[in-house]
Amino acid sequence: MLRSMYSAISGMQAFQTDLDVISNNIANVDTPGFKAGRADFSDILSQTINTGAAPAGGLGGTNPQQIGLGVKVGAIDTLFTQGAPETTNNPTDLAIQGNGLFVVDMNGNRYYTRAGNFTVDDNGYLVLPNGAKLIGYDAATGNLVDLRVDPNQYTDISIGLDGTVTATDKATNTLTTIGQIALAMFPNPAGLEKVGDTMYQVAPNSGTPTLTQPETNGAGLIQSGALEMSNVDLTQEFSNMIIAQRGFDANSKVIGTDNAILNDIVNLKNS
């Protein structure tokens, strides 16, 4: 009887974690580049009452007799499915259609993101709202650098499907190629570690990133003037929330039943 109480407690804990994941998804339903999470459950080791036996001596075989000891959260996955693009007509808003993540530099450290709400700061760098600078290939050297369009020299920024950044040179009034956006490809994007501000960092199971140009080596294309929105499906999340709530309630009722049985046992002793 106490086994059922401990199993129910584990169920309540698991569904509480599930609700935490669901609530975070719903909270980020309008966050650009956000990727939804999903809690996956797995059962805990079972107590074996009888191991079972193979057919022998004219008798048929018997199956194992086991009692489960509850549930645990087996994994919390990040779902890297494509989010819907939202048109903004702002040329520095960027959406990745396909695979890959933007590479950004923050205080000398590299991070990765699907959020493309970039703006041009006072020094001409393409930056996220938190100040992280977009990294790309310099047109003159081909080296990876923090992408910069000097506002004193250039105007009218334009970004192509292949990530090529061009601008009009104020002095010559000619279109000049500044550089090309770099995208990072991971063997397992779901293995990346979230660090806040819709950014990720390399983790043990993400694999090593391969930086490449858009539309090459399996990388997606860049859609300028649009943002990839969250891939959270509210309809699915509300359904998941109902299931999690019902699961939590059902497990709490098991504990209530166990408590009533224990109370009856105590009353028997005192009668």
Side-chain angles (χ1 to χ4, degrees), residues 30-106:
D30 202 33
T31 302
F34 178 80
K35 298 304 178 186
R38 181 187 65 198
D40 295 329
F41 295 169
S42 60
D43 65 339
I44 299 175
L45 286 174
S46 300
Q47 181 177 357
T48 301
I49 307 300
N50 191 313
T51 58
L59 294 176
T62 59
N63 296 326
Q65 298 175 17
Q66 294 179 293
I67 300 175
L69 299 177
V71 67
K72 65 179 180 180
V73 177
I76 300 177
D77 298 321
T78 302
L79 307 178
F80 270 85
T81 56
Q82 182 77 45
E86 180 180 284
T87 302
T88 66
N89 294 319
N90 178 9
T92 59
D93 281 341
L94 307 175
I96 301 173
Q97 292 290 329
N99 298 321
L101 293 91
F102 295 113
V103 188
V104 294
D105 171 41
M106 193 170 188

Side-chain angles (χ1 to χ4, degrees), residues 111-163:
Y111 298 100
Y112 308 90
T113 183
R114 290 283 294 196
N117 48 334
F118 294 98
T119 57
V120 180
D121 71 1
D122 188 50
N123 291 323
Y125 290 104
L126 287 167
V127 298
L128 290 173
N130 64 358
K133 300 174 183 177
L134 180 63
I135 290 177
Y137 299 96
D138 181 72
T141 64
N143 296 329
L144 286 166
V145 295
D146 296 343
L147 267 180
R148 181 171 183 264
V149 183
D150 188 347
N152 297 317
Q153 183 178 357
Y154 300 104
T155 186
D156 299 330
I157 299 173
S158 177
I159 300 172
L161 295 177
D162 63 352

Side-chain angles (χ1 to χ4, degrees), residues 5-51:
M5 181 174 286
Y6 290 130
S7 293
I9 291 172
S10 72
M12 293 178 68
Q13 292 172 334
F15 280 114
Q16 181 177 333
T17 300
D18 193 19
L19 285 168
D20 290 340
V21 173
I22 293 168
S23 66
N24 184 60
N25 289 342
I26 294 174
N28 285 282
V29 69
D30 202 33
T31 302
F34 178 80
K35 298 304 178 186
R38 181 187 65 198
D40 295 329
F41 295 169
S42 60
D43 65 339
I44 299 175
L45 286 174
S46 300
Q47 181 177 357
T48 301
I49 307 300
N50 191 313
T51 58

Side-chain angles (χ1 to χ4, degrees), residues 128-206:
L128 290 173
N130 64 358
K133 300 174 183 177
L134 180 63
I135 290 177
Y137 299 96
D138 181 72
T141 64
N143 296 329
L144 286 166
V145 295
D146 296 343
L147 267 180
R148 181 171 183 264
V149 183
D150 188 347
N152 297 317
Q153 183 178 357
Y154 300 104
T155 186
D156 299 330
I157 299 173
S158 177
I159 300 172
L161 295 177
D162 63 352
T164 300
V165 180
T166 57
T168 301
D169 190 312
K170 292 180 179 179
T172 62
N173 198 33
T174 57
L175 198 63
T176 304
T177 299
I178 306 297
Q180 190 174 21
I181 293 170
L183 292 181
M185 301 288 288
F186 286 88
N188 177 30
L192 290 167
E193 180 182 351
K194 296 179 180 180
V195 294
D197 289 326
T198 326
M199 299 194 308
Y200 303 87
Q201 66 181 9
V202 175
N205 198 38
S206 66

Side-chain angles (χ1 to χ4, degrees), residues 174-259:
T174 57
L175 198 63
T176 304
T177 299
I178 306 297
Q180 190 174 21
I181 293 170
L183 292 181
M185 301 288 288
F186 286 88
N188 177 30
L192 290 167
E193 180 182 351
K194 296 179 180 180
V195 294
D197 289 326
T198 326
M199 299 194 308
Y200 303 87
Q201 66 181 9
V202 175
N205 198 38
S206 66
T208 303
T210 300
L211 271 57
T212 187
Q213 300 167 349
E215 295 189 300
T216 61
N217 300 317
L221 57 84
I222 304 294
Q223 183 178 352
S224 176
L227 288 176
E228 181 190 4
M229 300 308 295
S230 168
N231 67 349
V232 172
D233 183 340
L234 274 181
T235 303
Q236 184 64 53
E237 295 302 326
F238 285 141
S239 299
N240 293 342
M241 184 165 55
I242 292 170
I243 294 170
Q245 181 186 4
R246 295 291 185 266
F248 188 93
D249 290 344
N251 280 280
S252 68
K253 286 180 172 57
V254 172
I255 293 176
T257 300
D258 284 340
N259 182 55

